[in-house]
Amino acid sequence: MKRLFRSRLPPALTSTQINSLAKESHVAPEDIKDWYDRFNHCYPRSYLSYKEFISYLEQVNTQNGNDNRLTKSMVKQLFNVLDLNEDKRLNFEEFFLFNTVINQGSLEDKLKLIFRLYDRDQNKYLTRVQLENILSNMFDLLNLSKSKNGLSQNIDEILTRTNFNNQNTKISWHTFSTYVLNDPLLFSILVSNDFDDYKSDDDFSCIVTRF
């Protein structure tokens, strides 16, 4: 008699998948298997839909004690960044690597994730306020610490040093992110909690290249 029903049990991770995830995340293979079991318990279809991803981000923000919520546009951009195979859903590998960045990623790992939000749109321009809102909300989501005054002074210092200090000028996301990721000083300024160490001198001058 032919089998009328297919098994709903998810396929086991292959050794290749486990070794690849272990190498990229520095998580032990046995722990990855535990993650996979819990993932399939929470998401029996073995993937997160966009709506499920929204709910998951809300849980992360609540767990971190954050009141700020990502805008729909930012959530969509983040989902697209994580959806490496572009199938409109997050499989276990994509979900696991995202959580690895949140829980044990370095400052550089987290900033790279943030700056990938709009890397498919190199013509993305933002106002000063929009830039701060995106960075502030993503810092909260990724559990990155900020000074008691937030990121405002840090961002202003970077904009001054890169000749973006005209408040009426929209800022290229691609250019801003390129500066920060490629200049150790600007990187340090953005993530610093002790802003006084990085205040510009009056005679400071900076030659920049537009991207």
Side-chain angles (χ1 to χ4, degrees):
M1 181 177 179
K2 293 183 178 180
R3 296 178 64 184
L4 299 179
F5 302 98
R6 294 182 179 179
S7 173
R8 291 182 177 271
L9 293 176
L13 289 174
T14 66
S15 58
T16 300
Q17 287 175 302
I18 293 173
N19 291 335
S20 176
L21 290 173
K23 182 178 180 180
E24 189 165 352
S25 66
H26 305 291
V27 175
E30 289 303 316
D31 291 334
I32 292 175
K33 292 177 184 178
D34 289 341
W35 264 89
Y36 187 59
D37 290 341
R38 283 182 283 145
F39 175 80
N40 285 303
H41 176 75
C42 295
Y43 305 103
R45 294 177 297 178
S46 297
Y47 67 82
L48 274 78
S49 67
Y50 176 62
K51 288 185 178 180
E52 288 171 326
F53 181 62
I54 294 174
S55 297
Y56 182 72
L57 290 185
E58 290 175 350
Q59 294 175 31
V60 172
N61 265 331
T62 299
Q63 181 177 337
N64 291 340
N66 299 325
D67 296 327
N68 295 332
R69 290 188 176 184
L70 300 179
T71 65
K72 289 182 178 180
S73 173
M74 289 173 61
V75 172
K76 188 66 175 177
Q77 292 295 336
L78 180 57
F79 185 84
N80 290 338
V81 167
L82 300 176
D83 181 20
L84 299 177
N85 61 7
E86 300 182 0
D87 63 353
K88 310 299 182 184
R89 58 184 67 174
L90 298 186
N91 60 31
F92 171 71
E93 289 96 329
E94 294 162 340
F95 176 82
F96 175 76
L97 291 175
F98 172 56
N99 277 274
T100 300
V101 173
I102 290 179
N103 295 315
Q104 61 187 54
S106 65
L107 285 174
E108 185 175 1
D109 291 334
K110 293 181 178 184
L111 280 188
K112 282 183 176 179
L113 176 59
I114 293 173
F115 287 131
R116 284 170 56 203
L117 283 178
Y118 298 101
D119 66 354
R120 297 179 186 177
D121 181 7
Q122 295 195 0
N123 294 317
K124 181 72 175 180
Y125 284 82
L126 303 165
T127 65
R128 165 66 180 72
V129 172
Q130 289 172 328
L131 177 66
E132 182 174 349
N133 286 341
I134 290 174
L135 291 175
S136 181
N137 288 337
M138 287 300 297
F139 266 53
D140 288 342
L141 175 67
L142 299 179
N143 209 20
L144 286 167
S145 61
K146 297 179 292 188
S147 68
K148 61 182 180 180
N149 296 319
L151 295 175
S152 182
Q153 287 182 307
N154 308 56
I155 293 172
D156 284 342
E157 183 68 14
I158 292 173
L159 295 180
T160 298
R161 289 175 180 266
T162 54
N163 292 346
F164 270 120
N165 51 353
N166 186 338
Q167 295 293 323
N168 296 320
T169 300
K170 285 197 171 184
I171 302 155
S172 164
W173 176 266
H174 174 68
T175 302
F176 181 86
S177 61
T178 300
Y179 283 152
V180 172
L181 290 177
N182 289 282
D183 187 322
L185 176 60
L186 299 183
F187 182 99
S188 298
I189 290 173
L190 183 59
V191 299
S192 173
N193 291 325
D194 189 3
F195 177 76
D196 289 339
D197 291 343
Y198 297 99
K199 287 184 178 179
S200 296
D201 297 327
D202 292 338
D203 60 352
F204 181 87
S205 61
C206 179
I207 300 175
V208 297
T209 303
R210 298 298 177 193
F211 292 84

